[in-house]
Amino acid sequence: MRQSDIGMIGLAVMGSNLARNMEKKGYTVSVYNLESEMTERFLQEEEGRNFVGAGTLEELTAQLKKPRIVMMMIRAGKPVDEVIDQLLPLLEEGDIIIDGGNSHFPDTMRRTKKVEAAGKYFIGCGVSGGEEGALHGPSLMPGGSIKAWPYVKPVLTDISAKTEDGTPCCDWVGENGAGHFVKMVHNGIEYGDMQLICEAYHMMRDYIGLSTVQMQRIFNDWNKTELDSYLIGITADILGKMGEDGTPLVDQILDAAGQKGTGKWTGIAALEEGVPLTLISEAVFARNLSAMKKERRAASELYRKKIPAFTGNPEELTECIRQALYASKIISYTQGYLLMHAAAGHYGWNLNYGGIALMWRGGCIIRSRFLGKIREAYEKNPELTNLLSDSYFKKAVEAAIPGWRKAVAAAVMAGIPVPAMSAALTWFDGWTTERLPANLLQAQRDYFGAHTYQRADDPEGPPVHTKWY
């Protein structure tokens, strides 16, 4: 009997589409789902193709070539640990478990250690691109047991998205939890990108007063500029979609955002590493605030806030908004890369930052033309820590500053919330300020808590305490 090349555990949308992707690339795939009805239904839908059904994990592992490769696409958290515990006695030394779910990177670090202690290998693989990407080519970010990489590399690179020149959007990220950490940062940047687009939409809709049709045209135009990206493109598509009553469907959707927690994890990691990830954190809080629909409705009745009539040039302010969106996007990626640099130092990861931009260049939700510029920046200078130090990004931000300031100022004066754009601008202003007011803050800390401070004329000298009263 022909043995399978890889096993897939979990046949919900992502798992089933990844299995289909693997089969289309010439692999024989054994499939298993805890609910056997899903396995049977999948096999019926894919009758005649190179799939082998398994009713138990014992059957699944028995069907696989050695070293066995088993990929899990199941709900993150306890279910992953439970399946690992069931798999380990069924596997042999050198066999490989891949977790392709949205697991938190500390869990992946713990699981890698556990599985390796049992003589097997573990990979935590970030998967981005949604159900379409899973079927046609996702961005894949594997990390964990480096010795497993040569065995899984062929299948993961085969099923991944490809850039224009055919380069796979998949490469080894790093040890233990590095793959899931990079995927977490990807999701945080995704939160930021989406919030920035929503703020641009909000300003054009409620202040300039543009129609949905006009905004669809604008986003289509923006997608032909340096903002060219998957998210800008789908925003134009969304704005063009009409409901059954002939009015824009987007206007019929409740303004209360959901989230699955990866953006929150990114913010928590930034706090732990001491990295000011301000834009992404504000994007998470913006979703939290949107979910307070009842309170917001009551507050709008209480305060009766009025947005003033727009009297300026619509095209001019729209261009300022575009510049603000682009500059803020640069800041978001800058902050995300600063977080990855900090984590790499903390956990001893040797991250390929240009390679990460390449992995995000296709298949994933944040794919964009912009990522090619990040890769170029790291190819020029592999030691680059801050994207704003690169000549391309310095020039881009400097050109956008006037419009960026005008857009944020206009939003503030009109009462339109732009937490992500304004956080990005504030971060930039802080980063480019040689002398911040933290001297006063240090004096306050020393006054009430004797926390001491460094003297400006002796920054490397001993800490100083003053008796202030």
Side-chain angles (χ1 to χ4, degrees):
M1 182 183 72
R2 180 184 177 189
Q3 289 192 298
S4 299
D5 300 296
I6 189 168
M8 177 62 70
I9 298 175
L11 293 175
V13 173
M14 291 295 290
S16 60
N17 276 358
L18 279 173
R20 291 184 179 102
N21 188 345
M22 293 170 182
E23 194 273 342
K24 288 179 181 177
K25 298 300 187 298
Y27 296 95
T28 299
V29 186
S30 286
V31 295
Y32 167 81
N33 197 83
L34 183 61
E35 292 81 16
S36 58
E37 299 82 9
M38 290 185 68
T39 307
E40 293 168 5
R41 189 182 314 123
F42 178 85
L43 293 172
Q44 289 172 2
E45 293 172 353
E46 303 299 327
E47 187 176 359
R49 297 188 179 276
N50 290 321
F51 292 108
V52 181
T56 65
L57 291 178
E58 287 83 357
E59 288 182 21
L60 181 80
T61 54
Q63 293 167 357
L64 301 178
K65 294 176 182 177
K66 298 179 181 179
R68 300 175 181 89
I69 304 173
V70 183
M71 186 168 190
M72 300 180 292
M73 291 301 297
I74 60 179
R75 185 164 53 88
K78 187 177 179 182
V80 176
D81 289 308
E82 291 174 346
V83 172
I84 290 173
D85 288 340
Q86 294 172 50
L87 279 173
L88 285 178
L90 306 175
L91 299 176
E92 298 177 2
E93 186 172 345
D95 288 345
I96 302 159
I97 302 172
I98 304 173
D99 173 18
N102 260 337
S103 291
H104 199 193
F105 78 94
D107 290 334
T108 303
M109 297 174 75
R110 170 177 56 80
R111 290 164 184 155
T112 303
K113 185 176 181 181
K114 175 179 179 177
V115 173
E116 288 182 345
K120 289 86 175 177
Y121 299 131
F122 187 78
I123 290 177
C125 183
V127 179
S128 180
E131 58 184 278
E132 180 185 352
L135 182 61
H136 299 295
S139 169
L140 298 173
M141 296 152 261
S145 305
I146 183 62
K147 291 182 179 179
W149 177 234
Y151 298 102
V152 303
K153 181 179 180 179
V155 63
L156 293 186
T157 54
D158 281 350
I159 68 170
S160 72
K162 308 295 186 293
T163 61
E164 293 85 349
D165 64 1
T167 304
C169 295
C170 170
D171 201 357
W172 187 251
V173 176
E175 303 81 358
N176 48 67
H180 273 136
F181 188 93
V182 169
K183 174 57 163 58
M184 178 193 74
V185 174
H186 163 283
N187 284 22
I189 291 172
E190 178 185 309
Y191 273 55
D193 275 1
M194 293 170 73
Q195 178 62 27
L196 289 169
I197 292 169
C198 289
E199 291 175 13
Y201 159 77
H202 195 178
M203 286 189 69
M204 290 188 289
R205 184 192 69 184
D206 289 2
Y207 185 40
I208 302 178
L210 300 181
S211 68
T212 305
V213 172
Q214 289 173 311
M215 288 187 285
Q216 181 196 22
R217 191 178 305 119
I218 287 167
F219 277 101
N220 270 325
D221 289 342
W222 286 359
N223 211 31
K224 299 168 187 172
T225 71
E226 61 268 39
L227 284 172
D228 173 21
S229 67
Y230 173 75
L231 285 170
I232 293 288
I234 69 167
T235 300
D237 291 345
I238 289 166
L239 294 173
K241 182 71 172 179
M242 297 296 157
E244 293 180 358
D245 62 355
T247 63
L249 181 58
V250 70
D251 294 334
Q252 301 171 31
I253 299 174
L254 183 69
D255 59 322
Q259 55 186 309
K260 292 186 176 179
T262 47
K264 178 182 72 175
W265 290 347
T266 313
I268 292 171
L271 289 170
E272 290 175 342
E273 298 296 338
V275 175
L277 199 81
T278 55
L279 190 154
I280 292 170
S281 298
E282 286 293 347
V284 175
F285 292 141
R287 292 197 189 193
N288 294 338
L289 185 61
S290 78
M292 299 168 60
K293 180 63 179 179
K294 290 182 180 179
E295 292 93 329
R296 290 190 293 111
R297 184 180 290 118
S300 70
E301 290 292 323
L302 178 65
Y303 281 89
R304 301 283 183 178
K305 182 179 71 177
K306 295 288 185 181
I307 295 175
F310 178 69
T311 58
N313 183 315
E315 289 79 14
E316 181 182 325
L317 183 55
T318 298
E319 173 58 18
C320 289
I321 294 169
R322 188 190 70 83
Q323 293 172 359
L325 175 54
Y326 185 52
S328 299
K329 182 183 177 80
I330 292 172
I331 299 300
S332 181
Y333 282 74
T334 297
Q335 293 181 0
Y337 266 76
L338 286 171
L339 176 57
M340 288 191 288
H341 275 281
H346 182 174
Y347 296 109
W349 297 333
N350 183 26
L351 300 183
N352 178 353
Y353 300 102
I356 290 168
L358 176 63
M359 278 182 263
W360 293 348
R361 186 68 180 83
C364 69
I365 303 302
I366 64 171
R367 61 185 182 267
S368 64
R369 181 197 303 181
F370 172 89
L371 284 158
K373 296 298 183 182
I374 295 179
R375 186 189 182 196
E376 289 174 13
Y378 278 100
E379 285 177 341
K380 284 190 298 181
N381 179 11
E383 304 303 315
L384 181 69
T385 56
N386 191 308
L387 285 175
L388 297 184
S389 299
D390 175 74
S391 58
Y392 172 85
F393 291 108
K394 179 177 183 291
K395 183 178 179 180
V397 168
E398 286 179 333
I401 286 174
W404 191 9
R405 293 196 188 282
K406 287 178 182 177
V408 171
V412 172
M413 293 304 295
I416 302 287
V418 286
M421 284 185 187
S422 57
L425 182 57
T426 299
W427 182 94
F428 175 77
D429 284 337
W431 184 68
T432 54
T433 298
E434 194 275 334
R435 190 163 188 244
L436 291 169
N439 55 319
L440 176 58
L441 190 148
Q442 284 296 89
Q444 292 168 336
R445 294 179 71 243
D446 189 56
Y447 187 106
F448 64 70
H451 293 295
T452 73
Y453 56 88
Q454 302 292 139
R455 286 191 56 86
D457 57 3
D458 189 16
E460 304 299 326
V464 176
H465 169 59
T466 293
K467 187 169 180 59
W468 297 92
Y469 51 88

